[in-house]
Amino acid sequence: MARNIQSLERAAAMLRLLAGGERRLGLSDIASALGLAKGTAHGILRTLQQEGFVEQDDASGRYQLGAELLRLGTTYLDVHELRARALVWTDDLARASGESVHLGVLHQQGVLIVHHVFRPDDSRQVLEIGAMQPLHSTALGKVLSAYDPVAHSEALESERRSFTDRTVCDPKVFEQVLDITRARGYAADVEETWEGVASVAAPIHDRRRMPVGAVGITGAVERLCPEGELRPELIAAVRDCARAVSRDLGAGRF
């Protein structure tokens, strides 16, 4: 059985201690409450402070929880609210389109799939929740890069790998693709990431009108682009789904 890492256990105990009771605690209070030597407690607090998880008041020298924990907590809540609000609409989109549906968010210079609805047929499929997709070549990634400034920067700064002969890697051409995405309100990926596979995605916004994710459908090129172009009704269905989820998140009309 794997052993727990003592320093991490102590750090977690400190964060729990600071989260309850008094708003700010001094070094002696923290060390005493956790049964630690002051030097040990100070070393852990200093590390947590450097990472933004703990802040020290300049006047009193006391410690409190830092802004980084708030950011992580907000991200956790946002992702789970996004998924919860999207469940019904993504199911409807899968039924209406006959294709698989993915819900993605920005994560570590890529797109993290947080929800996946299988294509509504009897074919064998693999659940892709937790999978990562590239920002520069997928429809989900291009939508996030077009509407989220952080995703935009990460897409340009990271390596844009060529997956097929259709993958756009040149930064100037990529910027043009993002301009088109913003102008029409959706992004497409026709064999740019996987041969024989096409996808279309649209942005989801929250009550602050900030982009919090993207939703899209993925399927065989011959089904999504039978005449060489994405079927208009599929584009409309994806955009309607994105708008519905955005409304449920408080974004109002787009």
Side-chain angles (χ1 to χ4, degrees), residues 140-236:
L140 293 172
K142 283 187 274 189
V143 162
L144 292 174
S145 299
Y147 288 90
D148 185 336
V150 176
H152 179 230
S153 296
E154 293 189 351
L156 289 175
E157 292 170 4
S158 61
E159 179 188 1
R160 288 177 300 282
R161 176 184 165 192
S162 179
F163 298 103
T164 73
D165 58 6
R166 292 172 177 259
T167 308
V168 174
C169 300
D170 180 84
K172 291 184 179 179
V173 179
F174 182 65
E175 287 283 17
Q176 293 172 358
V177 170
L178 298 187
D179 287 341
I180 293 171
T181 297
R182 285 185 286 267
R184 63 189 185 184
Y186 71 91
D189 165 12
V190 181
E191 297 189 286
E192 293 178 49
T193 311
W194 302 281
E195 296 283 357
V197 177
S199 61
V200 57
I204 295 172
H205 297 80
D206 65 6
R207 62 184 62 85
R208 299 160 295 178
R209 296 295 182 97
M210 297 296 292
V212 292
V215 63
I217 59 173
T218 301
V221 170
E222 57 265 27
R223 293 198 304 270
L224 270 64
C225 311
E227 304 297 329
E229 298 288 338
L230 283 165
R231 289 161 52 196
E233 68 272 22
L234 294 182
I235 296 171

Side-chain angles (χ1 to χ4, degrees), residues 103-121:
L103 186 69
V105 298
L106 175 65
H107 181 69
Q108 295 181 348
Q109 296 186 322
V111 183
L112 174 67
I113 304 302
V114 297
H115 186 53
H116 176 199
V117 183
F118 282 161
R119 185 171 61 255
D121 59 21

